[in-house]
Amino acid sequence: MAEQHHGTGNPADHPKIDVTTPHSARIWNYWMGGKDNYPVDREAGDAYIKAFPGIVTLAKESRRFLIRAVAHLAGEVGIHQFLDIGTGLPTMQNTHEVAQRLVPESRIVYVDNDPLVLAHARALLVNTTPEGVTTYVDGDLHEPDQIIADARNVLNFSQPIVVMFMGILGHIADFDEARAVVARVVAAVPSGSYLLLWDSTNTSEGFDEAQQGYDDTGAVPYILRSPDQVARFFEGLELLEPGVVSISQWRPDDTEGAAAVDGYGAVARKP
């Protein structure tokens, strides 16, 4: 299931938007309490919750992970360029809002190729500061070289960049291809850049069954991978503590620690 509300105009009028088949970004939006979804999405979302109630917690924890990680990289590490690939529908506390609140001149490039997402993004993903830059490019996850070329128009590739893949790599069915996509983008950014990545994991039988049921609806399938596979995306990079963990347990705000969820991720520095 892919990552990620809000909107102006009527995106359903867009000729490419199919409101008869469940759509992962709209379902994710529904689970996070958003309004940008259709009956087919809510029906599929409710069926998924029935099979795996933990999906709602995972959706919310994924955004909390993004907030904590981006705040650390912008506010403490001092990086002010973010390439957020496969953004999904805008919700609360998006990458640019978190980064520009801490570093007003932050530059954010969002990448997605979904017409619904693009329609919402144009309306909502706007700078929160006069100094910052927020832009959205239409790019395909399977074409990293084009993503890099488009990002070069906005980001300075001689300075560190945070490359983000937040809950989207399951859209690439072949694991080796998914690793190659991540490696290609990381190879294009300079030393001192960071990879911020998480993905849904096959760590719960209920999650596997719910995902299979979702895939069987004819929607775009999503591959759940193992925590070990998620860890392999970070090969050659310097993991920040606590390493590759359940995203709810990556530097949680609650010192008691949060219960694990079926999504693993990490933040790592390119040496």
Side-chain angles (χ1 to χ4, degrees):
M1 183 63 64
E3 252 273 16
Q4 298 52 21
H5 144 139
H6 245 85
T8 56
N10 184 1
D13 292 337
H14 197 291
K16 293 182 186 174
I17 291 175
D18 176 6
V19 298
T20 64
T21 303
H23 184 289
S24 61
R26 299 192 308 242
I27 296 170
W28 202 264
N29 172 263
Y30 171 56
W31 289 333
M32 292 183 74
K35 301 285 186 262
D36 295 314
N37 44 73
Y38 298 100
V40 67
D41 307 308
R42 295 189 283 276
E43 184 178 338
D46 288 340
Y48 207 113
I49 292 168
K50 190 172 181 182
F52 178 57
I55 191 64
V56 175
T57 302
L58 175 60
K60 292 176 178 174
E61 287 295 340
S62 72
R63 182 46 53 109
R64 295 185 184 117
F65 172 57
L66 180 150
I67 294 166
R68 294 194 304 273
V70 170
H72 173 73
L73 292 166
E76 296 179 47
V77 180
I79 301 202
H80 56 269
Q81 300 192 106
F82 295 81
L83 177 55
D84 188 342
I85 300 171
T87 317
L89 285 165
T91 51
M92 65 294 187
Q93 298 279 1
N94 300 288
T95 300
H96 72 287
E97 293 165 317
V98 178
Q100 290 174 351
R101 183 170 66 243
L102 294 163
V103 183
E105 66 271 24
S106 292
R107 303 171 80 87
I108 290 84
V109 174
Y110 290 109
V111 182
D112 211 300
N113 71 335
D114 183 286
L116 175 76
V117 170
L118 293 167
H120 284 280
R122 281 192 291 270
L124 287 155
L125 297 179
V126 294
N127 285 343
T128 55
T129 61
E131 310 95 310
V133 174
T134 304
T135 191
Y136 216 110
V137 298
D138 185 349
D140 190 325
L141 184 59
H142 298 267
E143 298 175 2
D145 288 338
Q146 186 60 53
I147 290 172
I148 293 162
D150 288 340
R152 284 187 189 279
N153 294 324
V154 179
L155 304 179
N156 179 353
F157 273 67
S158 68
Q159 298 293 320
I161 294 169
V162 178
V163 175
M164 301 171 61
F165 292 92
M166 305 297 277
I168 56 136
L169 289 167
H171 282 308
I172 302 178
D174 183 82
F175 179 56
D176 289 336
E177 182 188 352
R179 287 183 67 208
V181 167
V182 173
R184 178 70 193 92
V185 182
V186 171
V189 298
S191 173
S193 293
Y194 284 78
L195 174 63
L196 167 53
L197 179 154
W198 80 272
D199 225 324
S200 300
T201 49
N202 58 3
T203 42
S204 163
E205 188 176 329
F207 199 1
D208 283 335
E209 291 173 359
Q211 186 61 46
Q212 187 58 55
Y214 172 81
D215 294 347
D216 291 345
T217 66
V220 177
Y222 200 85
I223 308 301
L224 302 181
R225 297 196 160 102
S226 69
D228 286 344
Q229 286 177 309
V230 173
R232 292 181 67 190
F233 289 117
F234 295 95
E235 285 178 358
L237 305 176
E238 300 167 348
L239 285 164
L240 300 191
E241 290 292 336
V244 180
V245 294
S246 173
I247 53 175
S248 56
Q249 297 175 338
W250 193 90
R251 304 189 181 190
D253 297 325
D254 180 357
T255 53
E256 298 296 310
V261 294
D262 295 299
Y264 278 65
V267 182
R269 182 181 183 276
K270 180 179 177 179

